[in-house]
Amino acid sequence: VMEIVRQQDGLFGHGVAHLRPLNLEQVANAIEMRESTVSRVTSNKYMSTPRGLFGLKYFFSAAIPSTGGGEAHSAEAVRYRIKQLIEDEGEKVLSDDKIVEILTEFGIEIARRTVAKYRESLGIPSSVQRRRMLKATA
């Protein structure tokens, strides 16, 4: 657990947008244990933090490449950014293509299909559906 906290210090200090890509192998190598042991120890275990209650598996996230060869981004942090962009869109509904453009400006290299997959996994409707909902409430 201490190695996870050390690796994910950005999350605890600054929030989900600062979650780093991390895999079981990295933690296993750092604590000199087998990957299977780390997997077993982190399964169905939770950590209470000032930012909320998290399953230990939450801290392991795939890497999304950075534009220009910079440091990779956590897939979970990218999902969080997509959610924030859509929550803040107001009257100007963002298409998945526009979200890709904005994320590229943040240095995140991501395909439109991946944005759509992450948006759907968050239970967020498409831009067409969000526009219809916006018109229905106006």
Side-chain angles (χ1 to χ4, degrees), residues 4 23-25 27-28 31 33-45 56-57 60:
I4 294 170
N23 61 41
L24 292 169
E25 180 183 11
V27 172
I31 63 173
M33 292 188 126
R34 292 184 176 192
E35 228 177 294
S36 61
T37 304
V38 174
S39 177
R40 192 173 51 254
V41 168
T42 56
S43 291
N44 301 312
K45 305 278 185 329
L56 290 181
K57 291 289 187 180
F60 296 97

Side-chain angles (χ1 to χ4, degrees), residues 7-101:
Q7 293 274 349
Q8 297 296 6
D9 63 336
L11 165 76
F12 300 112
H14 306 289
V16 177
H18 296 275
L19 188 68
R20 291 186 188 129
L22 182 65
N23 61 41
L24 292 169
E25 180 183 11
Q26 290 170 293
V27 172
N29 289 340
I31 63 173
E32 298 178 354
M33 292 188 126
R34 292 184 176 192
E35 228 177 294
S36 61
T37 304
V38 174
S39 177
R40 192 173 51 254
V41 168
T42 56
S43 291
N44 301 312
K45 305 278 185 329
Y46 297 86
M47 181 188 314
S48 180
T49 74
R51 299 239 175 234
L53 183 67
F54 295 96
L56 290 181
K57 291 289 187 180
Y58 175 82
F59 299 104
F60 296 97
S61 181
I64 302 287
S66 178
T67 59
E71 189 174 326
H73 303 271
S74 156
E76 191 61 35
V78 173
R79 271 195 222 34
Y80 176 79
R81 283 189 188 250
I82 291 169
K83 182 178 179 208
Q84 289 301 117
L85 287 169
I86 292 172
E87 285 177 357
D88 297 342
E89 68 189 0
E91 298 287 319
K92 182 109 171 88
V93 175
L94 300 171
S95 68
D96 292 344
D97 285 323
K98 184 62 180 171
I99 292 171
V100 168
E101 287 177 34

